[in-house]
Amino acid sequence: MTGSDADDPEAPRGCLGCSGDGPPPPATGPADGPGADPHAARRAEVAVATGFLASTAGAIGLAVVYWRGGQPQLEGLFLALALGGLGLGFVLWSRRFMPHQPVVEARHPIASTEEEIDRFRDEFEQGEVILTRRKLLVRTAGLAVGALGAALLFPLRSLGPRPGKGLKETPYGRGVYLVTADNQRVRAEDVNRDGVLTVFPEVAADPEEAEEPPRPEHQADSSTLLIRPSGTPRPQRGRDGWTVDGLVAYSKLCTHVGCPVGLYQADTHLLLCPCHQSTFDVLDGARPVFGPATRPLPQLPIGLDAEGYVVAEGDFAAPPGPGFWDRDR
């Protein structure tokens, strides 16, 4: 409908659901509408009432059965009668007594009138004149916006330094000794069959403080499980030499949210994270076999020095712990 049509009260109105030749012919009206057969309306009323009465009878029967101690078959029968009668009554009511004529909605013009367009143009041009004449306002507003932008730069300093490779690398490297929490180097024979030992890299917590003694307790992101499973680990592709003397080493941080994976079930060779029950297969590269974790625990390549102490042969195969925004980049 055009704007001129909308202004003409005599013009034909469009309607929702019309095919273009005007509104469809009216459908059959309700049973109690104008011109309806009074006998047919009475029959329809009786049918609806019958449905509701059947529902009432079913509800009463259900209550009586419950009151007498209950009987599953009767309860189901009366419940079906109560719900079915109620549904039948409402369906007949809507079909026989509710109006069925198509709904017609007039369309109103949504475009702006010529007067509204002219008024907006005038107001916009007045704004341009103000900006041209009132240079002081423009300059002070620019100054305020610039000062606010500069002030917003200072909170960026609170974000701290960029993490760099701190999330992707650990102090482990070739020849770094594995030590216990009390800073004792570990020999291969220190871990019994089916035993587990938590170890850390023997390096200073702060690499810039070379004279600082190792502090394993401050290297929680490098915590490692040194395990001697009773079974034979199946080496992953390219990791044939990553175990030594039956020992295998994995990161202790769960790859789900970083909880310590400290529960080892020796008979099934499974590591369990107590936080969300992620489970990892030690003999199969610490692959997750249950729980929310989707990535295996990173493996640490290990070896022995000349005196039999366990040393790392490099860093973890992947960043330890949960995922972060650029983990795989």
Side-chain angles (χ1 to χ4, degrees):
M1 179 183 296
T2 63
S4 59
D5 293 338
D7 297 333
D8 185 2
E10 299 299 327
R13 298 283 182 174
C15 66
L16 298 177
C18 298
S19 59
D21 297 327
T28 303
D32 59 348
D37 183 358
H39 296 289
R42 180 59 182 172
R43 289 195 296 272
E45 183 180 15
V46 171
V48 173
T50 301
F52 289 152
L53 290 177
S55 176
T56 303
I60 294 175
L62 181 62
V64 170
V65 171
Y66 269 118
W67 180 71
R68 294 177 63 87
Q71 206 282 334
Q73 286 75 20
L74 288 179
E75 291 173 5
L77 176 63
F78 286 124
L79 180 61
L81 180 61
L83 295 178
L86 195 64
L88 176 64
F90 281 123
V91 169
L92 293 178
W93 190 347
S94 64
R95 291 178 59 86
R96 305 301 298 273
F97 293 99
M98 299 301 291
H100 303 294
Q101 289 81 2
V103 178
V104 179
E105 181 180 4
R107 297 178 180 174
H108 302 284
I110 59 175
S112 301
T113 63
E114 292 296 333
E115 292 77 9
E116 292 173 336
I117 295 175
D118 293 339
R119 186 166 58 251
F120 174 78
R121 183 185 298 110
D122 293 341
E123 292 176 352
F124 186 80
E125 291 176 352
Q126 290 178 5
E128 288 185 325
V129 172
I130 293 175
L131 290 177
T132 305
R133 292 181 178 177
R134 306 295 182 181
K135 295 182 179 179
L136 177 62
L137 298 180
V138 176
R139 292 172 180 173
T140 53
L143 178 63
V145 173
L148 179 59
L152 293 178
L153 294 177
F154 287 93
L156 296 178
R157 300 181 58 187
S158 63
L159 299 178
R162 295 170 60 88
K165 296 183 179 179
L167 297 177
K168 300 181 180 180
E169 297 180 351
T170 71
Y172 280 118
R174 180 178 293 276
V176 174
Y177 287 94
L178 276 61
V179 298
T180 60
D182 54 357
N183 203 25
Q184 300 296 317
R185 294 181 178 180
V186 178
R187 292 180 177 274
E189 57 268 25
D190 292 339
V191 183
N192 299 325
R193 180 184 176 88
D194 289 331
V196 180
L197 183 64
T198 300
V199 294
F200 305 86
E202 188 190 41
V203 294
D206 186 355
E208 297 181 357
E209 298 293 337
E211 302 300 328
E212 184 180 4
R215 293 186 298 173
E217 69 277 15
H218 291 176
Q219 299 170 0
D221 60 340
S222 305
S223 58
T224 307
L225 291 174
L226 193 60
I227 309 171
R228 186 187 294 279
S230 55
T232 303
R234 296 182 291 276
Q236 304 298 300
R237 178 178 300 179
R239 301 181 184 178
D240 294 330
W242 285 32
T243 61
V244 62
D245 198 20
L247 294 175
V248 61
Y250 295 107
S251 170
K252 193 176 181 178
L253 303 183
C254 181
T255 54
H256 177 218
V257 293
C259 295
V261 184
L263 302 179
Y264 180 56
Q265 190 170 357
D267 56 344
T268 58
H269 314 105
L270 296 177
L271 279 169
L272 175 67
C273 176
C275 291
H276 304 97
Q277 286 70 54
S278 292
T279 308
F280 305 88
D281 187 349
V282 171
L283 300 184
D284 193 14
R287 178 178 59 86
V289 296
F290 181 79
T294 58
R295 290 178 285 105
L297 298 174
Q299 185 176 357
L300 180 71
I302 55 176
L304 298 177
D305 73 348
E307 299 179 355
Y309 289 104
V310 182
V311 295
E313 296 293 338
D315 203 350
F316 284 111
F324 46 90
W325 68 96
D326 64 341
R327 179 186 182 93
D328 299 324
R329 289 183 291 174

